Amino acid sequence: ILDACCGNRPSINDDSGQGIQLLESLVRNAAALATALHHIVPGSKLGAILLEGTVERLAPPLHIRRQLKIMEKAEKSEGEQRGDDDGTDDDGGGGGGGGGGGGEIPLSLDKDKSCNNLVMLLAYLYTFGTIECVLIYDLVRLFSARLNEPDIELLLLLITTCGSKMRSDDPHALRDIIILVQKSVTRVRK
């Protein structure tokens, strides 16, 4: 299912095998099949396996681990400025640098659309009830914090695919995300 959703098809002229944007109905049907198998087969760990594989394939091109460290540092510094120190703030500051200044991480998703397909797969897995809203909200926060062109494309994909379910599941978190997007937009405009 993951290989099909990545859209990795080698071209005759190019050996790179970069992913192509798949039709939404193909990804939706793959997610529906995975959800059905996950719920029908007793003791099936298909949903967990599919989620783990999807996130493992999605993390490197989106620099998710690195961006999460940057977001944690920003939240800690924002909390210290407000005086909201929670006590145990020594989470190891052991990033050793490499976090980057300003939090800008360039993405090169212009030709490779496999990330779009994987994000769409996650959105449909959420819509069909295989995964919970926490992962989707974290992805939306991640994309809205950076707010560059590929992130906007992925954010739009998430919102159009599962926005109504997000609104019905947790309207307060969605409101917080809207505020975060507005802050990011004002930051980008400056």
Side-chain angles (χ1 to χ4, degrees):
I1 291 177
L2 283 176
D3 287 336
C5 285
C6 282
N8 292 331
R9 305 286 184 264
S11 173
I12 295 172
N13 300 328
D14 186 21
D15 291 333
S16 66
Q18 291 184 337
I20 57 172
Q21 179 73 42
L22 295 177
L23 293 173
E24 184 177 354
S25 60
L26 293 175
V27 178
R28 182 179 48 231
N29 290 342
L33 174 66
T35 301
L37 290 174
H38 174 71
H39 289 297
I40 290 174
V41 179
S44 171
K45 299 199 183 314
L46 179 68
I49 293 168
L50 188 61
L51 177 63
E52 180 182 7
T54 304
V55 171
E56 283 178 358
R57 288 181 185 214
L58 198 57
L62 294 181
H63 308 287
I64 290 177
R65 290 181 182 96
R66 189 170 157 201
Q67 184 64 30
L68 288 176
K69 288 180 184 177
I70 292 170
M71 289 171 62
E72 285 177 4
K73 288 180 183 178
E75 287 176 0
K76 285 181 183 178
S77 66
E78 188 176 294
E80 290 172 1
Q81 289 175 356
R82 286 183 293 173
D84 296 344
D85 197 357
D86 291 342
T88 60
D89 222 306
D90 292 340
D91 198 30
E104 285 297 319
I105 299 173
L107 296 178
S108 58
L109 302 177
D110 296 335
K111 294 180 182 175
D112 188 9
K113 296 296 183 182
S114 62
C115 286
N116 292 33
N117 299 330
L118 291 171
V119 167
M120 191 184 321
L121 177 66
L122 286 174
Y124 277 116
L125 287 174
Y126 166 63
T127 300
F128 296 144
T130 304
I131 62 175
E132 296 295 321
C133 65
V134 176
L135 176 66
I136 300 298
Y137 282 120
D138 286 344
L139 282 175
V140 169
R141 284 185 190 100
L142 177 78
F143 298 149
S144 59
R146 293 187 297 205
L147 213 61
N148 52 27
E149 187 176 344
D151 287 330
I152 292 171
E153 183 179 347
L154 294 173
L155 186 61
L156 178 64
L157 183 66
L158 268 176
I159 299 293
T160 56
T161 305
C162 61
S164 60
K165 184 163 173 45
M166 289 170 60
R167 185 177 58 223
S168 66
D169 281 351
D170 194 358
H172 298 293
L174 193 60
R175 186 193 71 220
D176 294 340
I177 288 171
I178 290 170
I179 292 170
L180 178 65
V181 169
Q182 289 172 343
K183 287 180 182 178
S184 295
V185 166
T186 57
R187 178 183 49 85
V188 168
R189 284 184 181 170
K190 290 181 181 180

